[in-house]
Amino acid sequence: MNPGRRQLRLSRWLAAFILFLGVFPLPARAHTAINGMGEFVSGLIHPLTTPSHVLILLGLGLMIGQHTPMELKTPLRVFVPLSAVALLLTTTGFITAVHQSVLVGIALVAATLVALEKRLPPLAAGVLFAAAAIAIGLDSVVPPGVTQGVMKTLLGTWVSLVVVLLDVAIYVSFCSKRPWLKVGIRVLGSWIIAISLLVLAFSFRR
Amino acid sequence: MKRPSAAISTLLCLLLGFVVWLPVNAGAHTETGAVGGVISGFKHPITGLDHFAAMFAVGLWGAFLGGRAMWMLPVVFPVVMAFGGALGVLGVPLPAVETGVAVSGVILGLMVACAIKPPLWLAAVIVGVFAIFHGHAHGTELPEAANALAYAVGFVICTGLLHLAGIATGLLVRWPWGRITVRAGGVAIALVGLGFLFNFL
């Protein structure tokens, strides 16, 4: 089979699987938000309700999916393990939060690459994904509690981080054949740049 | 010129409808927390007719110029506007901001009305210069208590949607009657700019 076609088929299966994962927690909606919600689901939701994390995941996802053939090795080899390590480090209590300007700065770099439609060399891409994984992971501190509950929350956050990143990347990669969608991705990148610049200005004012 | 697919037109029309519809719906809710920040930021660009007209004009002009201009101008504007916004937030002074905002409506409106098609780089520079004034004006008016990130998200999305609304309208130029409509829109925008420039509005 043609390698490109095989990759497309693989991407579609991955997207379907990730979509399934996204749909799976739906029954949890019967519970009240956060309060009383299972720790795992609470962890799943955390990156989606933290705007700076959303910006980074969106920026990196757009960056991965924008180029063909899609390069998933670096995110899988760097982002997945380092985000897990950073999440586990939060249990030590040494770091309680990451400064928002750091998070927004990472989103700014990713979004600039998206808007310019530039691909980073593997080493630089690895550094960017590592920085993003560590920053988001360390910024996802769970309040102290029963160890099992904390670990469940962190596991949920980790699954969510990986799923959202890959989900965005895979769906964006489907857009690569339509020129106007590629333009839309660059426009989205420029929006993230604008948001990041404003937030950085805010953080320096304070 | 290649005809855009029906899907693009449908999408743009939906976005245009979204721009018109959303603030009405959001008005029913109180503005607190992150959601309040997004709504507050979203409402900011559409509460001033001068800003509204200029941002709409950017999309309109981009579509009128066609080709790469259609996406390049709406990419340049928010990025440079954010830079201007940052200057405003940090308190860096910029002279004649309100005049610059009003003049932007006049110039951009006239560009569309007179069907002026400068080189792309020049169009980007014109849009970029005006974007700094708009950004600075918004930046200095940003509320201290606002959730910065949520506010910026709402603000930038609204600006982008106004551009898209302008592009959607600008795509009418493929028909003779649409071309007249778009140029008439340019006249209206220029008149709004003049109204603000001479304090009629």
Side-chain angles (χ1 to χ4, degrees):
Chain A
M1 191 189 289
N2 183 329
R5 191 179 288 271
R6 193 168 54 200
Q7 190 179 17
L8 187 65
R9 178 173 283 190
L10 179 67
S11 301
R12 283 185 179 153
W13 274 109
L14 265 173
F17 175 66
I18 287 165
L19 186 68
F20 171 75
L21 284 180
V23 172
F24 195 65
L26 274 181
R29 286 185 181 175
H31 303 287
T32 54
I34 308 298
N35 186 19
M37 185 183 280
E39 290 93 343
F40 181 76
V41 178
S42 179
L44 273 179
I45 290 171
H46 184 266
L48 302 173
T49 53
T50 313
S52 52
H53 295 191
V54 173
L55 283 185
I56 292 178
L57 294 172
L58 202 55
L60 293 178
L62 291 172
M63 200 180 87
I64 300 168
Q66 188 179 38
H67 301 285
T68 47
M70 187 168 58
E71 169 60 53
L72 276 176
K73 275 184 194 165
T74 308
L76 289 175
R77 286 181 183 168
V78 176
F79 187 87
V80 175
L82 281 183
S83 56
V85 171
L87 284 167
L88 285 173
L89 281 176
T90 60
T91 57
T92 60
F94 285 122
I95 294 177
T96 53
V98 176
H99 198 274
Q100 189 162 261
S101 58
V102 174
L103 295 164
V104 172
I106 293 169
L108 179 63
V109 173
T112 305
L113 291 166
V114 172
L116 296 174
E117 214 172 20
K118 295 284 181 201
R119 179 175 240 168
L120 279 180
L123 183 64
V127 171
L128 181 61
F129 279 103
I134 293 168
I136 296 182
L138 293 179
D139 194 51
S140 304
V141 177
V142 179
V146 181
T147 308
Q148 194 183 4
V150 171
M151 295 312 288
K152 277 185 187 174
T153 310
L154 291 176
L155 180 64
T157 303
W158 181 70
V159 169
S160 184
L161 289 175
V162 175
V163 166
V164 171
L165 180 67
L166 295 181
D167 210 4
V168 173
I170 289 168
Y171 278 110
V172 167
S173 73
F174 291 159
C175 304
S176 60
K177 286 183 181 170
R178 294 187 172 85
W180 68 273
L181 278 175
K182 289 182 83 171
V183 168
I185 290 163
R186 295 179 75 168
V187 170
L188 204 53
S190 76
W191 290 10
I192 298 174
I193 294 174
I195 292 166
S196 306
L197 281 175
L198 282 172
V199 175
L200 282 176
F202 262 109
S203 64
F204 285 120
R205 181 172 71 174
R206 287 165 189 175
Chain B
M1 185 177 159
K2 196 178 174 185
R3 281 173 68 88
S5 67
I8 303 176
S9 308
T10 310
L11 182 66
L12 289 174
C13 289
L14 282 174
L15 283 170
L16 179 62
F18 177 72
V19 169
V20 175
W21 168 80
L22 187 64
V24 178
N25 192 20
H29 302 282
T30 54
E31 295 174 12
T32 54
V35 176
V38 173
I39 293 169
S40 177
F42 195 94
K43 282 164 70 175
H44 205 257
I46 50 178
T47 48
L49 185 58
D50 47 352
H51 293 293
F52 184 101
M55 289 172 199
F56 188 82
V58 169
L60 203 61
W61 195 30
F64 197 81
L65 291 174
R68 286 203 301 158
M70 190 153 68
W71 63 267
M72 190 174 272
L73 299 188
V75 166
V76 167
F77 194 92
V79 173
V80 183
M81 186 188 70
F83 176 71
L87 294 179
V89 167
L90 295 171
V92 178
L94 187 69
V97 172
E98 289 307 321
T99 308
V101 170
V103 169
S104 72
V106 178
I107 299 295
L108 292 173
L110 284 177
M111 292 289 177
V112 177
C114 302
I116 296 170
K117 294 189 173 183
L120 183 55
W121 67 267
L122 183 58
V125 168
I126 292 170
V127 164
V129 167
F130 289 134
I132 290 182
F133 288 107
H134 283 269
H136 195 279
H138 288 302
T140 49
E141 292 166 9
L142 292 185
E144 285 278 348
N147 177 328
L149 189 47
Y151 188 94
V153 168
F155 178 73
V156 171
I157 288 176
C158 181
T159 303
L161 289 179
L162 283 172
H163 294 326
L164 286 180
I167 291 172
T169 312
L171 287 175
L172 295 173
V173 292
R174 69 193 64 256
W175 294 285
W177 61 267
R179 197 172 173 81
I180 295 168
T181 308
V182 170
R183 292 180 70 171
V187 172
I189 290 166
L191 288 174
V192 168
L194 280 174
F196 278 97
L197 194 59
F198 295 107
N199 293 320
F200 295 138
L201 293 172

Short mmCIF file of all heavy atoms in Angstrom, two decimals, chain A residues 84-107:
data_model
loop_
_atom_site.label_atom_id
_atom_site.label_comp_id
_atom_site.label_asym_id
_atom_site.label_seq_id
_atom_site.Cartn_x
_atom_site.Cartn_y
_atom_site.Cartn_z
N ALA A 84 4.35 13.34 31.80
CA ALA A 84 4.07 12.42 32.91
C ALA A 84 5.03 12.67 34.07
O ALA A 84 4.62 12.74 35.25
CB ALA A 84 4.19 10.97 32.43
N VAL A 85 6.30 12.85 33.74
CA VAL A 85 7.31 13.10 34.79
C VAL A 85 7.00 14.41 35.51
O VAL A 85 7.03 14.48 36.75
CB VAL A 85 8.73 13.15 34.16
CG1 VAL A 85 9.76 13.64 35.17
CG2 VAL A 85 9.12 11.78 33.62
N ALA A 86 6.68 15.45 34.74
CA ALA A 86 6.40 16.77 35.35
C ALA A 86 5.15 16.69 36.24
O ALA A 86 5.13 17.28 37.33
CB ALA A 86 6.20 17.81 34.25
N LEU A 87 4.16 15.95 35.81
CA LEU A 87 2.95 15.80 36.63
C LEU A 87 3.28 15.08 37.94
O LEU A 87 2.79 15.47 39.02
CB LEU A 87 1.88 15.02 35.86
CG LEU A 87 1.15 15.80 34.76
CD1 LEU A 87 0.36 14.87 33.86
CD2 LEU A 87 0.22 16.84 35.36
N LEU A 88 4.12 14.07 37.85
CA LEU A 88 4.51 13.36 39.08
C LEU A 88 5.33 14.27 40.01
O LEU A 88 5.21 14.17 41.23
CB LEU A 88 5.31 12.11 38.72
CG LEU A 88 4.49 10.94 38.17
CD1 LEU A 88 5.40 9.82 37.70
CD2 LEU A 88 3.51 10.42 39.21
N LEU A 89 6.14 15.14 39.41
CA LEU A 89 6.96 16.05 40.23
C LEU A 89 6.10 17.02 41.04
O LEU A 89 6.54 17.51 42.08
CB LEU A 89 7.91 16.85 39.33
CG LEU A 89 9.18 16.11 38.86
CD1 LEU A 89 9.97 16.99 37.90
CD2 LEU A 89 10.05 15.72 40.06
N THR A 90 4.89 17.28 40.58
CA THR A 90 4.03 18.20 41.34
C THR A 90 3.68 17.65 42.71
O THR A 90 3.37 18.42 43.62
CB THR A 90 2.71 18.50 40.57
OG1 THR A 90 2.01 17.26 40.39
CG2 THR A 90 2.96 19.17 39.25
N THR A 91 3.75 16.33 42.86
CA THR A 91 3.40 15.73 44.15
C THR A 91 4.46 16.00 45.21
O THR A 91 4.21 15.83 46.40
CB THR A 91 3.21 14.21 44.01
OG1 THR A 91 4.41 13.65 43.47
CG2 THR A 91 2.04 13.88 43.09
N THR A 92 5.65 16.41 44.77
CA THR A 92 6.72 16.68 45.73
C THR A 92 6.49 18.00 46.47
O THR A 92 7.04 18.22 47.54
CB THR A 92 8.10 16.76 45.01
OG1 THR A 92 8.04 17.82 44.05
CG2 THR A 92 8.44 15.45 44.33
N GLY A 93 5.71 18.88 45.86
CA GLY A 93 5.37 20.14 46.52
C GLY A 93 6.40 21.24 46.35
O GLY A 93 6.26 22.33 46.92
N PHE A 94 7.46 20.98 45.57
CA PHE A 94 8.48 22.01 45.38
C PHE A 94 7.96 23.17 44.52
O PHE A 94 8.32 24.32 44.72
CB PHE A 94 9.74 21.41 44.70
CG PHE A 94 10.55 20.59 45.65
CD1 PHE A 94 10.82 19.25 45.36
CD2 PHE A 94 11.05 21.13 46.82
CE1 PHE A 94 11.56 18.48 46.24
CE2 PHE A 94 11.80 20.36 47.69
CZ PHE A 94 12.06 19.03 47.41
N ILE A 95 7.15 22.81 43.54
CA ILE A 95 6.62 23.85 42.64
C ILE A 95 5.10 23.85 42.76
O ILE A 95 4.46 22.80 42.65
CB ILE A 95 7.04 23.57 41.18
CG1 ILE A 95 8.56 23.71 41.05
CG2 ILE A 95 6.34 24.51 40.21
CD1 ILE A 95 9.11 23.40 39.69
N THR A 96 4.54 25.02 42.99
CA THR A 96 3.08 25.10 43.14
C THR A 96 2.41 25.64 41.88
O THR A 96 1.24 25.39 41.66
CB THR A 96 2.70 26.02 44.32
OG1 THR A 96 3.37 27.27 44.15
CG2 THR A 96 3.11 25.39 45.64
N ALA A 97 3.15 26.39 41.06
CA ALA A 97 2.57 26.91 39.81
C ALA A 97 3.71 27.41 38.92
O ALA A 97 4.80 27.72 39.40
CB ALA A 97 1.60 28.04 40.10
N VAL A 98 3.43 27.50 37.65
CA VAL A 98 4.39 28.06 36.69
C VAL A 98 3.87 29.44 36.31
O VAL A 98 2.66 29.61 36.11
CB VAL A 98 4.50 27.15 35.44
CG1 VAL A 98 5.41 27.77 34.39
CG2 VAL A 98 5.02 25.77 35.84
N HIS A 99 4.78 30.40 36.21
CA HIS A 99 4.35 31.75 35.88
C HIS A 99 3.66 31.76 34.52
O HIS A 99 4.13 31.13 33.56
CB HIS A 99 5.55 32.70 35.87
CG HIS A 99 5.17 34.14 35.97
ND1 HIS A 99 4.84 34.89 34.87
CD2 HIS A 99 5.01 34.94 37.05
CE1 HIS A 99 4.53 36.12 35.26
NE2 HIS A 99 4.62 36.17 36.58
N GLN A 100 2.55 32.48 34.46
CA GLN A 100 1.73 32.46 33.25
C GLN A 100 2.50 32.94 32.02
O GLN A 100 2.27 32.45 30.91
CB GLN A 100 0.48 33.32 33.44
CG GLN A 100 -0.51 33.16 32.30
CD GLN A 100 -1.89 33.63 32.67
OE1 GLN A 100 -2.75 32.85 33.01
NE2 GLN A 100 -2.08 34.92 32.56
N SER A 101 3.43 33.88 32.22
CA SER A 101 4.17 34.40 31.06
C SER A 101 5.02 33.30 30.41
O SER A 101 5.25 33.33 29.20
CB SER A 101 5.03 35.59 31.47
OG SER A 101 5.90 35.22 32.49
N VAL A 102 5.48 32.33 31.21
CA VAL A 102 6.26 31.22 30.64
C VAL A 102 5.35 30.37 29.74
O VAL A 102 5.71 30.03 28.60
CB VAL A 102 6.85 30.34 31.77
CG1 VAL A 102 7.54 29.11 31.19
CG2 VAL A 102 7.82 31.15 32.61
N LEU A 103 4.17 30.06 30.27
CA LEU A 103 3.22 29.25 29.49
C LEU A 103 2.82 29.97 28.20
O LEU A 103 2.81 29.38 27.12
CB LEU A 103 1.97 28.96 30.34
CG LEU A 103 2.20 28.11 31.59
CD1 LEU A 103 1.03 28.22 32.54
CD2 LEU A 103 2.43 26.66 31.22
N VAL A 104 2.51 31.24 28.35
CA VAL A 104 2.06 32.02 27.18
C VAL A 104 3.22 32.20 26.20
O VAL A 104 3.01 32.20 24.98
CB VAL A 104 1.49 33.38 27.65
CG1 VAL A 104 1.20 34.27 26.47
CG2 VAL A 104 0.22 33.15 28.44
N GLY A 105 4.43 32.33 26.72
CA GLY A 105 5.61 32.45 25.85
C GLY A 105 5.78 31.21 24.98
O GLY A 105 6.09 31.32 23.78
N ILE A 106 5.55 30.04 25.55
CA ILE A 106 5.66 28.79 24.76
C ILE A 106 4.57 28.77 23.69
O ILE A 106 4.82 28.41 22.53
CB ILE A 106 5.53 27.57 25.71
CG1 ILE A 106 6.75 27.51 26.63
CG2 ILE A 106 5.39 26.27 24.90
CD1 ILE A 106 6.62 26.51 27.76
N ALA A 107 3.36 29.18 24.08
CA ALA A 107 2.27 29.23 23.09
C ALA A 107 2.61 30.22 21.98
O ALA A 107 2.32 29.97 20.80
CB ALA A 107 0.96 29.65 23.78
#
